Amino acid sequence: MSAAPLLRVRGLNGWYGKSHILQGVDIAIREGELLALLGRNGAGKTTTMRAIMGLLSRTEGELEFAGAPILGLPSYAIAQRGLALVPENRGIFGALTVEENLKLAARRGSPWGIERIWAMFPALGARRRTPGGKLSGGEQQMLAIGRALVTGPRLLLLDEPTEGLAPVIVAQLVEILRELKAAGLSMLLVEQSLETCMAVADRFQILDGGAIVWEGGSQALLAAADVRSRHLTLE
Ligand code: ATP
């Protein structure tokens, strides 16, 4: 029998004001696994990540992390338990330097110290005294990932990390995700690009209309042309 998943989401419902967006989402992520969450614009991918992080004003359902319920906890308490979100807008402080952005987020005891971030992202190390707002899009994305890592997460949630980036930078990010996976980090990856996901994901789930409509491995997803055309935009 397999061990209990690190993150278990069951029947998750979520609202923005009166809009009922998440309609019973079920997700399980095992320790060390990279799960890709796919779906068209507006399917509810970002809302799912925000609900997991305790950032929606109203959520219902079951949400368990490392065997303990986390639904209803404030987002700082969810972060303290070992979840970290790299948001779509990256959320870095533009007026603070790269190093200051990392130091603000860093937590004692994290296996990802700032030196390890410089080693993983040499371009960031070279620009450590540069304000975050002056970085390129790719560097900002790396800083956003670095900032999540220095909190010492057990589960990293990445919301469209490759969006708007040049192919050469996307390839670098894919390498980074592979390194993180090799280091044993569990991840939930939201992506529009199926190609990027195919390169790193262990398993896939597809969200449509606020609910999971399909799940499986890469071979099954490649074989399921009807599923892709019905629920995804990009190939
Ligand atoms: P995208 O790729 O566009 O980010 P997504 O799958 O992440 O798509 P969500 O951002 O989760 O989709 O949006 C799901 C639904 O919730 C959409 O119908 C969207 O219009 C709605 N929505 C998103 N943010 C808000 C908000 N702050 N207030 C009200 N409705 C929202």
Side-chain angles (χ1 to χ4, degrees):
M1 231 175 80
S2 60
L6 180 62
L7 179 79
R8 190 202 296 273
V9 177
R10 259 195 279 186
L12 184 67
N13 281 260
W15 287 259
Y16 281 120
K18 288 192 171 147
S19 307
H20 187 182
I21 307 291
L22 302 182
Q23 313 252 354
V25 174
D26 297 303
I27 291 175
I29 302 178
R30 293 184 259 292
E31 190 96 52
E33 186 176 47
L34 195 160
L35 176 73
L37 187 61
L38 303 172
R40 291 205 178 97
N41 285 337
K45 306 181 297 295
T46 297
T47 310
T48 298
M49 286 195 163
R50 291 177 52 80
I52 292 169
M53 291 304 296
L55 293 167
L56 291 196
S57 54
R58 183 178 167 205
T59 43
E60 286 175 9
E62 285 176 49
L63 194 52
E64 267 178 29
F65 185 70
I70 59 169
L71 190 86
L73 293 182
S75 57
Y76 73 84
I78 291 175
Q80 274 173 355
R81 289 183 183 223
L83 290 98
L85 171 66
V86 180
E88 205 170 2
N89 66 10
R90 296 166 192 149
I92 61 178
F93 295 107
L96 300 184
T97 66
V98 167
E99 189 162 17
E100 286 165 344
N101 267 278
L102 291 174
K103 280 189 171 162
L104 261 186
R107 281 208 211 113
R108 244 179 251 282
S110 167
W112 304 91
I114 291 181
E115 291 306 320
R116 195 169 171 194
I117 300 300
W118 301 150
M120 181 160 235
F121 303 103
L124 283 187
R127 309 204 67 189
R128 66 181 74 188
R129 310 218 190 287
T130 303
K134 293 242 177 347
L135 300 178
S136 69
E139 288 165 345
Q140 286 192 356
Q141 188 62 59
M142 289 173 191
L143 178 55
I145 294 172
R147 213 180 50 168
L149 289 174
V150 296
T151 69
R154 287 179 69 184
L155 176 66
L156 190 63
L157 288 75
L158 297 137
D159 196 353
E160 300 204 25
T162 67
E163 195 187 15
L165 301 181
V168 57
I169 309 293
V170 172
Q172 282 175 19
L173 271 173
V174 165
E175 274 317 303
I176 295 293
L177 295 182
R178 287 211 176 106
E179 275 182 50
L180 294 175
K181 210 166 107 169
L185 192 62
S186 313
M187 287 175 271
L188 176 61
L189 173 67
V190 159
E191 263 298 333
Q192 292 281 336
S193 160
L194 190 55
E195 197 187 336
T196 300
C197 290
M198 287 285 176
V200 292
D202 298 303
R203 215 157 45 82
F204 298 80
Q205 292 195 321
I206 299 180
L207 201 58
D208 203 348
I212 299 294
V213 293
W214 187 89
E215 64 181 279
S218 56
Q219 292 308 318
L221 184 56
L222 280 176
D226 57 326
V227 169
R228 297 200 310 274
S229 65
R230 200 174 323 138
H231 302 295
L232 303 178
T233 309
L234 297 173
E235 282 302 293

